[in-house]
Amino acid sequence: MARTGPSRGGSAVPTVVQQRLLKQLQNVTADLDNVTGSAADRQMMRDLVTTARLLQDQAREIGIPPRWIAFVRTQGNAGLRWSDGQQLPASTAETREQQLARLHIHVDQLYEMAALRRIYRERGNPITPLAAERFSEHQRLQWLRVTMVSRALNVTRGEVGTRWSGDPQRWTALLEAARALTPSELFTRWKSYTTATAVAHARLREATLRAAGLDPLRAVAPPRPHELHLAAETAWRGTRASDSAQGAEIPATAAGDPGVQIAAAVEAATPEQNFADEPDADSATAPVPEIAQPQREVEL
């Protein structure tokens, strides 16, 4: 039976949380072996493939060595479900720097989302209630994901330092980067956070971490979404005041971009679809379907 213990370097042994996530990954992969060629099963297969891919992403994020991930995928592909007596191959953990660097990327995304929303609104783009709800849920789930991964990695406040703080220069840079996007680019970025599939994938990521026994309590965490939006708004007001003082021109709005207008109209008129088999926009921002069947299969 695989032992539990720390995995910060040297000879790695899986923690209880890591074992639970590996179990989910192996069992979902094994379930793919039982899918037949019927139309209904083809949809189930797409959902299972999506679930396995997201589970693999989450396994890497909580510090599971690639060799263990490859091993359970091989076992699953052979139709073997997880066994409590199953042995994992010898492996070493990633360096702490690698683990933290990956986590920092997902924290940065939280800040970028707040800056993007501020500029998207400033450009005069219409935001439907549905899109606003999806964006907020996606960012909330991203915050939970970061916090639970932080808990899994036992991140300390000392390791984070000021890396997750938001000084004015950081916000100015983020807002300027978003403002430099063309109207079409800005619309595409906004859509990557507000499709049904993007939110579904975010839900599944959060659910797999909770199923592994993680929660966001007492973990080192970045500012919450509402705090990030307040900081972005404050920084934006300062930027606008500076622009006014320098007589800066107001950037072009998306309202004048025919391509964006047409895309927005199509979005409003298009019914909801199932996008389970679409790839992630960033592995962290792809639309996701409600994957009810696969989640029933992922029982611990």
Side-chain angles (χ1 to χ4, degrees), residues 88-155:
L88 292 172
S91 183
T92 57
E94 292 179 311
T95 66
R96 193 61 171 169
E97 290 71 22
Q98 288 175 298
Q99 294 176 346
L100 292 175
R102 186 181 297 112
L103 182 59
H104 290 328
I105 289 173
H106 295 299
V107 173
D108 289 344
Q109 186 182 354
L110 283 168
Y111 285 79
E112 290 163 2
M113 289 180 75
L116 182 75
R117 192 187 75 159
R118 173 64 270 181
I119 299 303
Y120 192 80
R121 293 173 58 192
E122 181 63 23
R123 293 269 184 96
N125 291 297
I127 299 179
T128 66
L130 178 60
E133 180 182 351
R134 286 177 176 171
F135 186 92
S136 295
E137 183 179 3
H138 195 154
Q139 194 175 32
R140 178 182 65 83
L141 291 167
Q142 175 73 359
W143 184 87
L144 288 170
R145 171 190 183 185
V146 164
T147 306
M148 286 190 281
V149 170
S150 172
R151 179 76 179 276
L153 296 175
N154 294 316
V155 173

Side-chain angles (χ1 to χ4, degrees), residues 32-62:
L32 281 165
D33 191 54
N34 298 321
V35 178
T36 65
S38 68
D41 277 0
R42 283 197 297 272
Q43 179 58 56
M44 182 184 297
M45 177 178 287
R46 287 193 289 269
D47 289 346
L48 286 168
V49 167
T50 297
T51 302
R53 176 167 54 82
L54 296 179
L55 281 167
Q56 182 166 309
D57 289 345
Q58 292 305 131
R60 289 296 306 277
E61 289 177 20
I62 67 171

Side-chain angles (χ1 to χ4, degrees), residues 1-2 13-14 19 22 26 68 71-72 82 86-91:
M1 179 183 298
V13 291
Q19 287 188 70
L22 287 169
Q26 181 169 328
W68 290 348
F71 175 77
V72 299
W82 179 275
Q86 180 172 282
Q87 294 287 334
L88 292 172
S91 183

Side-chain angles (χ1 to χ4, degrees), residues 194-218:
T194 56
T195 60
T197 308
V199 178
H201 285 180
R203 289 173 185 159
L204 182 54
R205 291 189 184 94
E206 190 265 353
T208 60
L209 291 172
R210 286 194 184 275
L214 289 167
D215 67 64
L217 297 178
R218 297 181 299 281

Side-chain angles (χ1 to χ4, degrees), residues 231-247:
E233 183 68 30
T234 301
W236 176 245
R237 289 174 183 170
T239 300
R240 288 296 299 275
S242 176
D243 286 348
S244 297
Q246 299 175 24

